[in-house]
Amino acid sequence: MPSIFDTPLTGFRYVQTQHGDTLQEFAARVMGDATNWAILIGMNNLVPPYLTDDPTQVTDGVVLNGSTLMIPAATPAPSTDVDDVFKTDVLLDADGFLAITENGDLATVSGSANLVQALENALDTDQGELIYHPKYGYRGRRLLGSKNGATAGLMAARYAKQTVAADSRISSVTSSTATVQGDAIATVVQAETVVGTKVPVATTI
């Protein structure tokens, strides 16, 4: 029986694992061939035991069942619609709480505004704060308590650039500058999106 990999596939998609899954069982169910489990290791940077039902075993490379894994898939034609590319999420108010509409529903935000909100959230989150997403967030607050000055400013700008560049909707970061203001460091990042639009985002620590 021919494998799906007899025909080259250049894209990928995400599929949720199930309770009790092993990597071989997952590969058999979603890819039609249990022997494709080795491909999943490389695509998802997995290490033994790969999948687990025990949250205490989760590490960088061991995924908790119920999470998603990347699998090969045909690549669709890229969209240039910013609402498609930048997606929709719940809207947060100025204090970071869920915004509510007049009808009592959750407010949403789409397109470029959603991207900006997502980048601001990433910069407002300390890297390592989210247990199951240890690489998400901003490392700038590690500078708190150190001597403020030009070196701290350069490090803050570098960390902010890394955080913004990590978003898949960003194609490049054109600049990242930090200004030392007393005990605070204000950083402004200018980036270009995958559809060619410009987006600025700022943070202060």
Side-chain angles (χ1 to χ4, degrees):
M1 178 178 178
S3 165
I4 63 171
F5 292 98
D6 290 341
T7 301
L9 297 175
T10 57
F12 62 88
R13 62 190 177 97
Y14 289 95
V15 177
Q16 187 174 28
T17 57
Q18 298 178 4
H19 181 77
D21 267 347
T22 65
L23 197 58
Q24 291 88 342
E25 290 170 340
F26 177 80
R29 184 174 69 252
V30 303
M31 300 169 69
D33 188 345
T35 62
N36 287 327
W37 68 278
I39 295 171
L40 297 176
I41 292 175
M43 291 189 71
N44 295 276
N45 298 317
L46 300 176
V47 298
Y50 312 121
L51 302 178
T52 181
D53 292 325
D54 183 356
T56 65
Q57 291 186 342
V58 174
T59 62
D60 192 13
V62 178
V63 175
L64 184 67
N65 277 325
S67 303
T68 57
L69 289 182
M70 183 190 299
I71 72 167
T75 303
S79 173
T80 57
D81 186 319
V82 293
D83 286 342
D84 288 339
V85 176
F86 300 147
K87 308 300 182 184
T88 298
D89 205 343
V90 292
L91 177 66
L92 302 180
D93 62 22
D95 296 318
F97 296 107
L98 295 174
I100 306 299
T101 68
E102 294 180 356
N103 297 326
D105 296 324
L106 290 175
T108 60
V109 59
S110 300
S112 298
N114 181 43
L115 174 60
V116 171
Q117 176 177 274
L119 294 175
E120 290 175 345
N121 285 342
L123 289 169
D124 285 341
T125 303
D126 293 337
Q127 191 177 80
E129 180 179 341
L130 302 182
I131 297 175
Y132 297 123
H133 303 278
K135 295 181 180 180
Y136 174 84
Y138 177 46
R139 298 168 63 190
R141 288 171 189 79
R142 299 181 184 184
L143 299 170
L144 295 176
S146 62
K147 183 178 180 180
N148 210 1
T151 300
L154 288 172
M155 294 299 294
R158 179 180 178 183
Y159 291 151
K161 178 179 179 179
Q162 291 172 341
T163 300
V164 172
D167 193 296
S168 61
R169 295 165 291 187
I170 297 297
S171 64
S172 65
V173 175
T174 55
S175 68
S176 181
T177 57
T179 304
V180 177
Q181 303 172 341
D183 292 333
I185 303 176
T187 305
V188 177
V189 181
Q190 300 285 346
E192 183 171 326
T193 71
V194 293
V195 296
T197 57
K198 309 292 185 180
V199 58
V201 62
T203 187
T204 300
I205 57 173

